[in-house]
Amino acid sequence: MVKKVYLVENLDCANCASKVEAALNALPEVQEAVLTYATMQLRITAEDPDALLPKLQEAAQKVEPEVEFYPRDGAHTHHSNTGEHEHHHDCCCGHEHHHDHAHDHHHDDDHEHEHEHHHNHEHTHEHSHDHGHEHGGEESEDLKPILVGAVLFVVGLVLDHFGLKWPTLGVCLVAYVLLGREVIVTAVKNLARGQMLDENFLMALASIGAFFTGSFTEAVGVMLFYRVGEYFEDRAVARSRSQIMEAVDLRPEVVQLVDGETVREIPAGEAKIGDIVLVRPGDRIPLDGIVVSGSSRIDTAPITGEPVPVSVAEGDSVVSGCVNTTGQLTVRVEKSLSESMVTRILDSVENAAASKPKIDRFITRFARVYTPIVVGAAVLTAIIPSLITGDWGKWVYTALTFLVMSCPCALVLSVPLAFFAGIGAGSKRGILFKGGQSMEAMSKIKAVIMDKTGTITKGDFTVQKIVGGDELLELCADCEQQSTHPIAESIVAAAKARNMELRRPEELEELAGRGIRAKLDGKEILCGNERLLTEQGVTFPKSREYGTKVLVAVDGVYQGYLLIADTIKTGAENAVRALRDSGIETVMLTGDAEPVAKAVSAQLGLDEYHAGLLPGDKVDQIETLIAAKKSKENLAFVGDGINDAPVLSRADVGIAMGALGSDAAIEAADVVLMDDDPAKIALAMRIARRTLRIVYENIVFALAVKFACLLLGAIGMASMWTAIFADVGVMVIAVLNATRALYTKDLVRKSHP
């Protein structure tokens, strides 16, 4: 099966997006279709999605006649920077949508941390790909009928107050036609296609019914406030989408290509691996690469969320999206735009938005049954009490209020928007959630299991002590020089610092979790931990020292040891405290010896530790901890995303640390931390918890208001004004509340005690 992403146009209703998604999933050739309204993207899993595109288009247009799909990498895309192209269309939600895809160019590096950088350099070309669209003149065009209708509505109220029935009817009819023409036309079109339970039909039926019951001003008022609510909803959704995309889309439009003695501007997508690009002070680094000349300090906050600039010089790697703050750099391109960090982050966020959590899937299923149930209740309300009491006017009016309240847009729109905002908030802080499912799981974490090296400690091992003389160091370095393990690298570095000439062993065998067996000058050399020497029958003195011991034996005779010490990361203690303050149990798994693990655990205040573990032992330990936890509690494992891949995949939530520039780490875990700050663990958890809290706030608020209004309606105490608030008012409030998930300053302060 092949997964393909398409851009969606001419769709501006979350409920309609849900209908299109259901229609596409009904096709037998489609394994899965996910239409994400927040990003206006469609993800199709099928054997040949491109060949299936005409059929997808046909199925979608049976539900939404104007909807169109385009390949994301095709000529017609929102990211193609082709200028302005407008689409005027009607969607099933009954309001006209003017999508003016004008691309705004921003150079606003207003990072949300303690200090702000504003770089205003003309040579920096960035685009935010504003999917909210700049409506410009269209906003005023949308407002004209609303404003005129509002004036006529007020006139109608005055005339009705003085009991002028026929003038009131005349003014209200004009106002109604002006405000509701598009809704009624769309309702008729949808009715012809067999769509009776869409919002247009229900709103048209309710307002026309109000006319026949003599409630002229209420009929106009319903349509007026419906249009006003839709207007503000459109702007709120557009603004939210724009804010989120601006936070994560750091891709450049152009780069400054160094061509001999000249510098010329070319589209970023045309830059090739090996090209030399100029990065001036204030510019974002456009593509991943290596510094060829110059030195500077770069602000990594857009990628990692960290406010402290990092020094770079010739030979250092730099990743796209970071801001060059001081000196001028020339950078050799190592990755094309499609493979650079900024694109991978954007793709991760967009892919994450398409990964629907359980609560989102439930809301989608709920919406499909909610409207028919409420409409059915409206029909019963109109008939049964009327037959009993004979008061048809009262109960038909009540039924009409039910119809206004029957659309579930507030839920269908606000729930995925909240998750999208939460994912965007995480990306601004250097935290990549792999989807709403990962965020949902992260919010339920009760225990965090951490690897030691690279997670709690820096992994910058150095030789602190040599027992056996420099000859022992040289011998050990000879055996360890081909290993990539941090301890091995520290031994080799210490030998080279003493200008030792290293020899290559005749034979070499790496023993996982124990050390190395080698043959040098015909002698068998053992370099490793106590377990290795014990297994080989070598006797040695025992001692307890902080650090990692590398014991050396030659031909079965103990020769001495090297003491390798690692340093605990700055802020690790505070990070553990932040987790414990949140009620999270902290556990450390390490392959180091008991004394080392005990010392680190005591210093950090960990709840539990397990030492001397092989890679397979870590998986077994995770299994044991999972078996002991409660069913609704999740367990997270934090590792480097590569070496700890088996454990990461087994845990409920796998968190990869220190992933700046690492493609493999991005693929390895459910949550990726773009730097090695352990405090980000607590921050990721806080972002996830708040996002879920906002989701549940919206669900409870929307359902409570709707059911309360339905109850009031059932006893005849709800008016059309109540109904319109339960529909449109709740939707606008829920959307605005969902956008709160994007802001994290207060959470950052809590995560850094």
Side-chain angles (χ1 to χ4, degrees):
M1 290 291 176
V2 177
K3 293 184 178 181
K4 192 66 181 288
V5 179
Y6 301 93
L7 298 180
V8 182
E9 289 194 348
N10 302 347
L11 183 67
D12 209 326
C13 171
N15 198 34
C16 300
S18 179
K19 294 176 184 176
V20 172
E21 182 181 273
L24 298 179
N25 277 306
L27 296 175
E29 299 90 342
V30 175
Q31 185 181 74
E32 184 182 35
V34 180
L35 202 166
T36 310
Y37 179 68
T39 59
M40 297 298 281
Q41 291 187 350
L42 170 68
R43 281 168 169 76
I44 295 292
T45 303
E47 288 187 0
D48 190 352
D50 286 338
L52 195 60
L53 188 57
K55 193 169 184 178
L56 297 173
Q57 193 80 69
E58 182 183 357
Q61 290 181 346
K62 288 181 179 178
V63 182
E64 284 288 311
E66 303 295 329
V67 72
E68 294 182 32
F69 305 139
Y70 300 96
R72 184 167 63 172
D73 54 354
H76 189 107
T77 70
H78 288 186
H79 300 300
S80 61
N81 304 316
T82 55
E84 288 187 16
H85 47 283
E86 297 182 17
H87 305 278
H88 301 272
H89 59 276
D90 298 316
C91 117
C92 284
C93 42
H95 48 281
E96 187 177 355
H97 309 295
H98 307 278
H99 292 271
D100 179 6
H101 302 284
H103 300 285
D104 294 334
H105 300 271
H106 300 277
H107 194 133
D108 182 8
D109 302 305
D110 186 3
H111 311 306
E112 195 181 346
H113 52 268
E114 308 316 316
H115 61 279
E116 301 178 353
H117 305 283
H118 301 279
H119 308 285
N120 299 305
H121 299 268
E122 294 181 1
H123 48 265
T124 299
H125 300 271
E126 299 173 40
H127 49 259
S128 63
H129 304 294
D130 190 351
H131 296 276
H133 317 302
E134 292 295 320
H135 294 266
E138 283 81 7
E139 289 192 13
S140 60
E141 290 298 319
D142 289 345
L143 279 174
K144 283 181 182 179
I146 296 176
L147 293 174
V148 175
V151 172
L152 293 174
F153 172 65
V154 173
V155 173
L157 287 174
V158 173
L159 294 174
D160 185 57
H161 178 73
F162 289 103
L164 302 174
K165 181 178 180 181
W166 294 109
T168 301
L169 175 60
V171 171
C172 287
L173 281 173
V174 173
Y176 185 81
V177 171
L178 185 64
L179 292 167
R181 180 180 66 248
E182 293 174 6
V183 176
I184 294 173
V185 169
T186 305
V188 172
K189 290 180 180 178
N190 291 341
L191 191 61
R193 296 193 297 269
Q195 298 181 36
M196 291 187 60
L197 299 182
D198 77 291
E199 192 175 14
N200 307 283
F201 176 75
L202 298 172
M203 193 64 64
L205 182 61
S207 54
I208 293 173
F211 266 108
F212 283 98
T213 61
S215 304
F216 307 143
T217 56
E218 288 196 33
V220 176
V222 166
M223 196 60 69
L224 170 64
F225 286 102
Y226 172 71
R227 290 290 302 275
V228 170
E230 291 289 325
Y231 177 85
F232 285 110
E233 177 208 346
D234 286 348
R235 271 67 194 169
V237 172
R239 177 64 176 166
S240 301
R241 187 184 296 127
S242 173
Q243 284 181 314
I244 297 166
M245 296 307 295
E246 285 179 14
V248 300
D249 194 354
L250 305 175
R251 295 175 300 171
E253 281 186 347
V254 299
V255 298
Q256 308 298 320
L257 179 68
V258 178
D259 188 3
E261 298 297 321
T262 63
V263 178
R264 57 188 178 91
E265 190 173 274
I266 64 170
E270 294 182 7
K272 302 183 296 294
I273 295 174
D275 284 348
I276 305 298
V277 297
L278 179 67
V279 186
R280 302 184 180 100
D283 281 355
R284 287 195 192 276
I285 296 169
L287 302 166
D288 297 3
I290 304 291
V291 177
V292 176
S293 64
S295 62
S296 183
R297 293 175 67 81
I298 60 172
D299 182 4
T300 64
I303 304 298
T304 67
E306 290 301 309
V308 181
V310 177
S311 297
V312 295
E314 183 177 342
D316 290 335
S317 297
V318 291
V319 296
S320 51
C322 300
V323 179
N324 180 25
T325 62
T326 54
Q328 184 167 284
L329 301 173
T330 56
V331 176
R332 183 177 66 251
V333 177
E334 295 293 311
K335 292 182 181 179
S336 63
L337 179 62
S338 61
E339 298 297 324
S340 286
M341 181 60 67
V342 288
T343 302
R344 293 190 66 85
I345 291 174
L346 179 63
D347 288 344
S348 293
V349 172
E350 291 179 337
N351 290 333
S355 175
K356 294 186 177 183
K358 292 180 180 179
I359 186 65
D360 197 357
R361 296 180 185 273
F362 167 76
I363 291 298
T364 301
R365 294 194 298 271
F366 173 82
R368 292 171 184 168
V369 300
Y370 168 80
T371 297
I373 290 175
V374 176
V375 171
V379 173
L380 294 175
T381 301
I383 297 174
I384 296 176
S386 298
L387 291 174
I388 297 173
T389 65
D391 191 352
W392 286 87
K394 174 184 177 181
W395 293 109
V396 168
Y397 179 87
T398 299
L400 296 176
T401 65
F402 278 28
L403 296 180
V404 176
M405 290 184 280
S406 61
C407 182
C409 275
L411 294 174
V412 177
L413 178 59
S414 67
V415 170
L417 186 62
F419 278 108
F420 188 40
I423 291 166
S427 69
K428 288 174 66 177
R429 296 294 179 183
I431 303 166
L432 294 185
F433 292 98
K434 299 294 279 293
Q437 295 174 351
S438 301
M439 181 171 283
E440 194 172 41
M442 192 78 181
S443 70
K444 300 175 182 177
I445 286 176
K446 294 299 180 183
V448 173
I449 318 302
M450 293 173 282
D451 181 44
K452 183 179 77 70
T453 305
T455 302
I456 296 174
T457 61
K458 293 181 179 180
D460 57 349
F461 297 93
T462 58
V463 177
Q464 302 288 339
K465 184 178 180 182
I466 303 173
V467 178
D470 285 351
E471 297 81 5
L472 191 75
L473 173 63
E474 184 176 358
L475 186 63
C476 197
D478 290 336
C479 299
E480 299 279 7
Q481 61 183 307
Q482 297 183 37
S483 175
T484 59
H485 194 281
I487 290 178
E489 291 177 345
S490 69
I491 294 171
V492 174
K496 290 182 177 180
R498 291 168 170 80
N499 296 318
M500 295 178 178
E501 294 186 8
L502 303 183
R503 298 168 295 167
R504 190 173 296 274
E506 293 101 38
E507 296 179 13
L508 186 69
E509 180 184 6
E510 191 162 350
L511 305 172
R514 297 184 295 278
I516 288 175
R517 180 194 291 120
K519 186 164 285 187
L520 187 65
D521 296 334
K523 299 178 181 179
E524 184 184 68
I525 314 297
L526 297 176
C527 295
N529 54 25
E530 293 183 359
R531 180 182 296 182
L532 175 62
L533 268 65
T534 301
E535 289 177 353
Q536 300 300 318
V538 179
T539 58
F540 55 91
K542 301 279 182 84
S543 66
R544 294 188 176 273
E545 295 179 84
Y546 176 71
T548 299
K549 282 185 178 181
V550 179
L551 292 86
V552 182
V554 178
D555 287 337
V557 180
Y558 173 73
Q559 300 295 318
Y561 67 90
L562 307 179
L563 185 65
I564 315 296
D566 192 5
T567 53
I568 295 175
K569 289 181 178 179
T570 304
E573 188 173 346
N574 287 337
V576 171
R577 187 183 302 117
L579 288 171
R580 295 185 66 184
D581 290 345
S582 300
I584 307 300
E585 182 183 359
T586 55
V587 182
M588 180 180 70
L589 305 183
T590 179
D592 278 349
E594 171 77 17
V596 176
K598 184 178 181 180
V600 172
S601 177
Q603 184 173 340
L604 295 179
L606 299 174
D607 295 304
E608 189 178 335
Y609 71 89
H610 300 272
L613 302 177
L614 299 175
D617 297 332
K618 292 184 180 181
V619 177
D620 294 338
Q621 197 61 240
I622 287 288
E623 294 284 0
T624 303
L625 292 169
I626 289 175
K629 70 181 179 67
K630 297 179 180 178
S631 59
K632 293 185 178 181
E633 296 177 348
N634 286 339
L635 182 150
F637 179 80
V638 189
D640 62 16
I642 303 171
N643 298 333
D644 297 308
V647 196
L648 285 166
S649 62
R650 183 61 189 92
D652 297 309
V653 182
I655 304 174
M657 290 195 63
L660 183 60
S662 173
D663 295 345
I666 292 179
E667 304 296 331
D670 302 301
V671 180
V672 179
L673 309 183
M674 300 303 291
D675 60 13
D676 61 353
D677 184 3
K680 293 290 178 69
I681 304 169
L683 178 58
M685 183 196 67
R686 293 182 186 278
I687 291 174
R689 285 183 174 181
R690 188 172 70 174
T691 300
L692 266 293
R693 185 168 64 251
I694 289 172
V695 166
Y696 285 112
E697 285 174 359
N698 280 348
I699 293 173
V700 171
F701 172 70
L703 291 180
V705 172
K706 283 185 178 288
F707 284 129
C709 292
L710 287 170
L711 181 62
L712 291 173
I715 60 177
M717 296 181 62
S719 67
M720 284 289 182
W721 309 116
T722 307
I724 200 66
F725 172 76
D727 181 34
V728 180
V730 169
M731 181 165 34
V732 174
I733 293 172
V735 167
L736 293 175
N737 189 48
T739 61
R740 292 196 301 116
L742 186 61
Y743 304 101
T744 60
K745 281 187 175 180
D746 59 325
L747 302 183
V748 173
R749 287 192 293 268
K750 291 180 181 178
S751 301
H752 292 77

